[in-house]
Every structure is written in structure tokens, then in C-alpha cells.
Amino acid sequence: MINPYFMFATGIEGSCPTIAGGRTRIDQFERCGHYRLWSTDFDLVQELGISFLRYGPPLHRTLLGASRYDWSFADLTFGDLKRRDIAPIADLCHFGVPDWIGDFQNPDFPDLFAAYARAFAERFPWVQLYTPVNEMFVCALFSARFGWWNEQLRTDRAFVTALKHVVKANILASNAILEVRPDAIFIQSESSEHFHPSDAHAIDAADALNVRRFLSLDLNYGQPVDAGTYEYLLDNGMTREEHAFFRSRMLRHHCVLGVDYYATNEHRVDASGASSEAGEVIGYDQIAQQYFSRFGLPLMHTETNRQEGPVGDEAVQWLWRQWSSLRQVRENGIPTLGFTWYSLTDQVDWDTALREDNGRVNSVGLFDLDRNIRAVGTAYKALIAEWHYVLPARSVCLAAPIIMPSEYDEPFARRRREWMRHYHAEKGVLRQA
């Protein structure tokens, strides 16, 4: 029986940025075989006992032009998800745009994407959960500051331009979706970062980066930024009018803060601001607390994984540590709504952050690319079965909607009552004195 109060999830890796000056697109659906094996992949989701799937149609194949769409693959896949009663967290833009749009420097992208999001919501009105633009900060950083993807630029001005376009696209798309589905919920998956000074001379550099890591979410949620960050935005091309747009748009009451965490998310910074990977130093629970303290929104762990190494249990141990960290977040009183191992299958070329087209398989999936279950897949299936009745923040009141008298006999209300009966029996809540 589905637990409606806690979202155990996985995802189909859908990254599709371009590299090599736009000549090569790294399409993970293609590289990982999902275009051919999508039905099998959905079978695997159900085999694990998972009812929530981070998933979206490939934007570069679906958005053919302004108000021109090819829904053929989406109709197949989303129709099948509906038949299986798997709830998609619709991932509408995952690091890449169609060739005809170009890249994230294009100022037309926000309006074009919002129209696409509205068209998707109208075609699939039963979809309630969305991540309109995945990992906005990473998308802008890798495309326009590190020079790895898409526009492959390396300046602060290009980064701010990409960031403002990506976040504006996310906001306009959310508004468009809400006009079609007023009860839509946005699970805003974003990479959680933390910067550690390598020595006393690096404190200022690390502090600046620890402020800047919040920029995409600050803009998305209308969060005030400090004077230094405001000057940085204005110095690099954001106008006062554009900043006022972000300050005036409030979607918080429809939002869950998705916080992604990998072993690469903590960084060691030197005095020049250059950084290197630090490994797991303070961990997910401490960093998630920082993000919650800033934004005050309920949390979901929306991405994590680890390669299956030579011993064979490295990913299993990482799963246990991440689940334990999430439980610690919940024990600290923070509303915590879900957990995700990302992704369902192994990925390709993420060992170089998709910068190189090597065809190298990364063994981070719950299943390998032949769709054989990995040790971490078996462990995740067992974890879900064991923790199925865990509730966020120990209270159904934070998750359960009020059932009005007129709704008492509605199917959804009956399903929720039945689930609660199972929960009470499992926990002995109604045990006789």
C-alpha cells in the first residue's frame, strides 16, 4: 500500500546538455537506453515498491518551436505512469534546451519555457508534482561560469545572465502550471553546497561562496540578499527592475525545498577562491539544516548516489549514511517529506560531469544498464519496506489534508483512512490499555 505521507523516490536520469560548442548533446535517456526500455524501467520502479518518480519528457525533443510540441513520447510514458499509479515529479528542464533556443543566455527562454510548461500541464492535468527547472544553480554555474556545457562561457556576467534567465523561467513556468493545476506542488531540486576554508587566509573567500550558493533559491523564493550579493548581481548585468521581479514573486506556499547531496558537494577553498573536493566533512544533515534555516520550507532529499566500488558495498554504505542523515534532520524537528536515490539505472560519463563524450558507464544506479539489480537496489527495496510507515516530523497533521464532510466518501478519503488503519496497526497506536 502506498504511503501518502512520505515519498520514497528514484529518478530516470534525464540530463541533456550540449558540449563541444553545441555540436554534441549528451542525452542520458539515449545513453542509458531509456528510449528503448522505458516500459521495463517503469517495471523496475514498481519492483522496488516505489510510487514517486523524478521524470520528465526530453525538452530538446518535445519543444520543437514556439508553441510547437511533439508529445508522442510523453503520451506513451506519462500515460503508462498514470496507468501504473506512479506519481511523477515532472522534471521539465534538466540542464539543456533545444538547439533552436540555443542556450541559457537567450532572453526569450523564460517565456518560451513557461508556454511549454502550461502546454504540458494542460495535456497531463493529473500531474501534481513538478520540478520545472532542475538544479538551477548548477545549470548556470556549469554552463556559464565553469564553461563546461551549453554556452560554455566562463565569466561572472554570463553566470548572472544564465541564472536570471533560468530562475525567471522556473517562476513563470510555476505560475503557468498553477493556472492549470491550482494545487500543484513544486519540489525544487537544488544542489546543496558547503565551502570550507583551507586555512585562515581563505575564510573570506569561503564565506563569500557560502553566501553565493543560495543565489538561485534566493531569487526563486524572493529572499532578500545582502548588500555585497546585490552589488555583485548589478555589476554583472542584472537590472534593478529584474531584481524587483524576483523580490515580488512569491511561490513559497506551493514549494518543497529539494536538497541534493553527493560526496562532491563539499569543497575546500583557498585564499584565491579556487576550490577542490573536500569529501563528506559535515554531511547532509548539517547542510540541510543551513538551507532550512535560510528558507524555512519543508525538505526532501531529492538526489544522492555513490558508485558501486571494488568491495561491492560502497553504495550500500552510502545509502545507509544518507538515510541516517535524513532521519537526523527529521529528529531535529524539520518537516521532511521524502528521500531519493538518483537514479534508477547507471549513468554515462558523469565521472567527467558530462564534459566529455567517453561512453564510460558510472555504476551509480539501483540497476545496471542491462537492468540487473545492484546491491544498493536490493538495499533500497528493503529500506523502503522496513521504513514504509515513517511519518515526517512524527505528525500526520503536517501532511494530511483536512477532509471536509462532503468529501468523506470520496475514494481518496477512503484510501487515506485505510492507510492510517494500517499505520495504527503497525505502530500499535490503538493498542488496548
Side-chain angles (χ1 to χ4, degrees):
M1 178 173 294
I2 295 172
N3 181 343
Y5 303 119
F6 193 88
M7 291 182 283
F8 285 108
T10 187
I12 309 292
E13 160 62 343
S15 297
C16 58
T18 59
I19 60 172
R23 295 185 298 276
T24 301
R25 186 177 294 276
I26 308 296
D27 182 346
Q28 289 288 294
F29 274 12
E30 181 177 31
R31 305 293 169 100
C32 301
H34 180 68
Y35 289 127
R36 294 183 296 107
L37 299 172
W38 59 267
S39 182
T40 299
D41 288 345
F42 296 164
D43 289 340
L44 301 181
V45 172
Q46 292 185 303
E47 178 184 326
L48 295 172
I50 291 174
S51 301
F52 298 90
L53 182 69
R54 292 198 57 208
Y55 184 74
L59 181 63
H60 63 292
R61 292 188 174 203
T62 309
L63 180 53
L64 304 183
S67 301
R68 292 179 52 230
Y69 314 109
D70 178 357
W71 298 113
S72 55
F73 187 67
D75 285 342
L76 284 173
T77 54
F78 277 82
D80 198 47
L81 290 174
K82 184 180 182 184
R83 179 185 65 81
R84 296 170 185 261
D85 204 26
I86 296 173
I89 303 170
D91 185 357
L92 298 185
C93 178
H94 205 119
F95 297 148
V97 295
D99 290 341
W100 65 272
I101 289 179
D103 53 48
F104 295 107
Q105 300 296 302
N106 186 343
D108 296 331
F109 171 62
D111 289 321
L112 292 167
F113 182 68
Y116 169 75
R118 180 191 299 276
F120 175 89
E122 289 172 343
R123 195 168 189 90
F124 307 103
W126 53 271
V127 175
Q128 183 183 19
L129 307 176
Y130 285 88
T131 301
V133 181
N134 173 72
E135 287 193 346
M136 297 181 289
F137 183 78
V138 172
C139 184
L141 193 70
F142 286 12
S143 297
R145 189 65 184 86
F146 290 174
W148 292 353
W149 299 339
N150 303 309
E151 52 262 51
Q152 295 186 255
L153 298 175
R154 302 175 186 271
T155 68
D156 286 325
R157 180 170 287 268
F159 167 70
V160 170
T161 300
L163 189 69
K164 69 184 182 183
H165 291 164
V166 165
V167 179
K168 184 177 182 181
N170 193 75
I171 292 171
L172 294 182
S174 299
N175 287 335
I177 291 164
L178 285 171
E179 290 177 5
V180 178
R181 180 76 194 247
D183 62 340
I185 295 172
F186 303 107
I187 301 175
Q188 195 56 57
S189 175
E190 186 58 275
S191 179
S192 63
E193 308 285 335
H194 189 84
F195 297 87
H196 304 276
S198 60
D199 54 48
H201 300 290
I203 291 174
D204 288 345
D207 286 347
L209 290 169
N210 277 324
V211 170
R212 198 165 296 173
R213 63 181 164 154
F214 294 124
L215 252 178
S216 62
L217 297 174
D218 285 341
L219 296 176
N220 192 63
Y221 297 135
Q223 182 85 4
V225 298
D226 63 23
T229 302
Y230 183 62
E231 289 178 358
Y232 169 79
L233 293 171
L234 295 187
D235 288 345
N236 287 287
M238 182 176 287
T239 67
R240 287 175 172 79
E241 292 74 20
E242 287 172 329
H243 185 261
F245 165 85
F246 294 115
R247 289 285 290 122
S248 68
R249 300 301 172 117
M250 293 295 184
L251 294 168
R252 298 171 61 91
H253 56 292
H254 279 274
C255 293
V256 173
L257 177 56
V259 184
D260 304 348
Y261 182 81
Y262 296 93
T264 55
N265 284 38
E266 298 188 49
H267 315 272
R268 185 171 178 172
V269 182
D270 65 23
S272 72
S275 65
S276 57
E277 292 180 13
E280 188 182 17
V281 180
I282 59 175
Y284 176 82
D285 55 328
Q286 293 298 313
I287 298 176
Q289 174 71 61
Q290 295 168 7
Y291 277 74
F292 177 77
S293 295
R294 188 171 185 89
F295 299 108
L297 294 170
L299 291 178
M300 179 173 176
H301 196 326
T302 37
E303 284 188 25
T304 196
N305 67 43
R306 187 68 172 264
Q307 288 220 86
E308 183 177 278
V311 175
D313 71 345
E314 293 87 344
V316 174
Q317 294 302 319
W318 182 258
L319 171 65
W320 179 83
R321 291 207 299 274
Q322 291 304 297
W323 176 246
S324 297
S325 290
L326 186 71
R327 287 186 56 240
Q328 186 60 54
V329 171
R330 192 175 70 89
E331 292 295 322
N332 290 340
I334 296 174
T336 308
L337 306 183
F339 179 84
T340 312
W341 184 273
Y342 196 87
S343 54
L344 179 73
T345 68
D346 289 349
Q347 301 169 13
V348 179
D349 287 332
W350 262 109
D351 55 314
T352 61
L354 307 184
R355 287 173 286 175
E356 300 175 9
D357 183 14
N358 299 319
R360 189 155 46 233
V361 175
N362 310 133
S363 56
V364 298
L366 300 167
F367 295 83
D368 65 25
L369 292 185
D370 292 323
R371 275 49 182 183
N372 299 312
I373 196 165
R374 289 196 176 276
V376 71
T378 300
Y380 193 33
K381 181 177 182 178
L383 186 152
I384 293 168
E386 183 175 359
W387 292 91
H388 184 61
Y389 290 97
V390 172
L391 293 180
R394 299 182 181 275
S395 174
V396 299
C397 300
L398 294 177
I402 302 300
I403 304 299
M404 300 303 291
S406 61
E407 299 172 326
Y408 178 79
D409 287 318
E410 292 292 329
F412 84 94
R414 292 198 298 269
R415 285 196 300 272
R416 289 182 183 275
R417 289 198 296 274
E418 183 63 18
W419 186 89
M420 287 305 303
R421 289 189 187 98
H422 280 267
Y423 171 74
H424 293 158
E426 180 79 10
K427 295 296 184 183
V429 172
L430 302 180
R431 187 178 293 121
Q432 294 295 320

